Amino acid sequence: MRTESEPNVSAETTFGRVGSGNAGQATVEWVGLVTLTAALFAALALVAGSIPGTALVHSVSRSILCAASLSTDCFSEGSLEEAYGAEVAAMIRANTPDLFFGPDLLGLPVDFRSCRSPACADPPDEGVIGESTAGEPVTLFTRVVDCRDGRRADPDGSDGVAGSGCTAEAEGNIYLQYWAYYPESASLRGLPVLEEQGYHRHDWESVQFRIGPDGKVDQRASSHAGYNHTRSAANWGSDIGSGLIRQITEAAGFRERGGWGISRRTLLVAGGSHAGNVGGSISEGRYPTRTPARLIRLIPLESIQGGSLVRPADFDPITPPWRKSVWYEPESEGTG
């Protein structure tokens, strides 16, 4: 997923005010300690990839990192009910997609607070899996933008962005976003010269659901620079971020408008780039690795934004979800 310009959001308004519930964690010494421990964790994870006991080494490194964060709940999952209320929490669970991963999978979606190294996200094998070789659960982070009854996306203004919330196009809908973090991405693996150009550390992808006032559920998935539903050559304009090509193909009926199509509660993930589609042929040959919704850990991203392991997180050159336009405007066409 390529990086585009970010909204002008201060660190304070994005991650919460310094010290709220975590007194003393914003010192220079603390940031340095977490950074140093994160480096140690990465080194341990890389070594663990080549020796027995990967899960044990990863567990120890997690404990060290958690201790350095000066927090008793640094890897807390958060409660969907507390974050969104019982009604919306039930919607999130009911719409969680089954994940289908393409061949030669380059890492599983994991919790970025404890795993930002390829070694700890490595899938154990093909077939049905729920965690990596290091014991990291397959994880999706959730985000809700509620535009029903004329509501703003963030009625308390906690996002701190002027004009954020629901556009006229989004009015009456509720949007459920599921965000997947991968430690690396390689779009052009195996291609001479171009392979290096298609590789970057860190990757954030998403699958989104739009529930209308009539209960109709639409779905789309992030793919490179745009959003797609059905896998098709007609998605090329969306993939490269060309609004003109995308509009032409949509006007001609070759692809779904804005990438939105009928929900299938599935996410088809490319093995190298992690680009997604909703619809397409599903077979063991095309998607040999699968994670059913029941095995996916769900973490409300809004609840952990101010956490001790989130504030200093660096995803360069990738834009994290809370700085993407779609985080605030759920009908946005861009992935940056």
Side-chain angles (χ1 to χ4, degrees):
M1 181 186 296
R2 80 175 175 158
T3 305
E4 298 181 7
S5 59
E6 302 178 0
N8 183 18
V9 187
S10 70
E12 178 175 309
T13 55
T14 301
F15 295 111
R17 290 178 176 80
V18 171
S20 58
N22 296 290
Q25 294 179 0
T27 64
V28 174
E29 292 83 358
W30 172 81
V31 173
L33 182 58
V34 170
T35 302
L36 177 61
T37 308
L40 173 61
F41 162 74
L44 285 171
L46 287 173
V47 172
S50 59
I51 62 175
T54 301
L56 176 60
V57 173
H58 183 61
S59 177
V60 171
S61 61
R62 275 173 54 102
S63 299
I64 295 173
L65 186 58
C66 194
S69 74
L70 308 181
S71 172
T72 58
D73 61 348
C74 55
F75 296 124
S76 171
E77 295 183 15
S79 165
L80 294 177
E81 282 75 15
E82 289 181 6
Y84 310 118
E87 177 198 14
V88 176
M91 288 184 185
I92 291 172
R93 291 193 176 93
N95 288 281
T96 302
D98 295 320
L99 306 181
F100 294 82
F101 300 99
D104 198 16
L105 175 60
L106 194 67
L108 294 165
V110 292
D111 186 344
F112 67 91
R113 296 171 300 171
S114 57
C115 176
R116 291 204 291 276
S117 165
C120 54
D122 198 34
D125 204 349
E126 296 180 349
V128 176
I129 58 176
E131 62 180 28
S132 72
T133 54
E136 277 286 328
V138 172
T139 299
L140 292 179
F141 296 92
T142 62
R143 158 72 166 167
V144 174
V145 184
D146 195 343
C147 298
R148 298 174 296 178
D149 304 323
R151 304 176 193 177
R152 286 170 49 86
D154 296 278
D156 62 354
S158 60
D159 274 346
V161 179
S164 68
C166 304
T167 61
E169 185 179 10
E171 187 175 353
N173 303 324
I174 182 169
Y175 297 82
L176 313 178
Q177 300 177 353
Y178 301 79
W179 291 91
Y181 168 77
Y182 302 90
E184 60 180 347
S185 176
S187 300
L188 305 173
R189 276 190 299 173
L191 296 180
V193 182
L194 296 177
E195 182 172 14
E196 185 176 345
Q197 298 301 316
Y199 177 87
H200 55 78
R201 286 293 312 279
H202 309 296
D203 194 19
W204 279 102
E205 302 288 349
S206 69
V207 58
Q208 304 163 15
F209 293 80
R210 178 178 65 190
I211 305 176
D214 59 357
K216 179 187 176 187
V217 184
D218 293 319
Q219 183 185 355
R220 68 177 182 176
S222 64
S223 179
H224 302 292
Y227 298 96
N228 298 333
H229 183 272
T230 306
R231 188 175 53 246
S232 168
N235 294 328
W236 181 71
S238 173
D239 286 342
I240 66 172
S242 171
L244 177 59
I245 297 176
R246 177 181 54 78
Q247 290 169 17
I248 291 173
T249 54
E250 290 177 358
F254 294 133
R255 61 169 257 128
E256 300 86 351
R257 183 173 177 271
W260 291 106
I262 192 68
S263 171
R264 299 191 180 183
R265 286 204 286 263
T266 58
L267 176 61
L268 314 183
V269 182
S273 69
H274 306 122
N277 287 282
V278 174
S281 174
I282 300 176
S283 66
E284 289 192 6
R286 188 181 289 269
Y287 295 99
T289 307
R290 307 175 301 286
T291 300
R294 61 182 172 80
L295 295 182
I296 299 173
R297 179 174 60 166
L298 300 173
I299 301 178
L301 195 47
E302 300 97 329
S303 297
I304 67 167
Q305 274 183 271
S308 55
L309 296 179
V310 178
R311 289 197 303 273
D314 181 9
F315 302 104
D316 184 63
I318 301 303
T319 307
W322 49 87
R323 293 191 180 276
K324 295 179 183 291
S325 58
V326 76
W327 178 268
Y328 307 99
E329 304 292 348
E331 291 285 349
S332 174
E333 302 285 1
T335 60

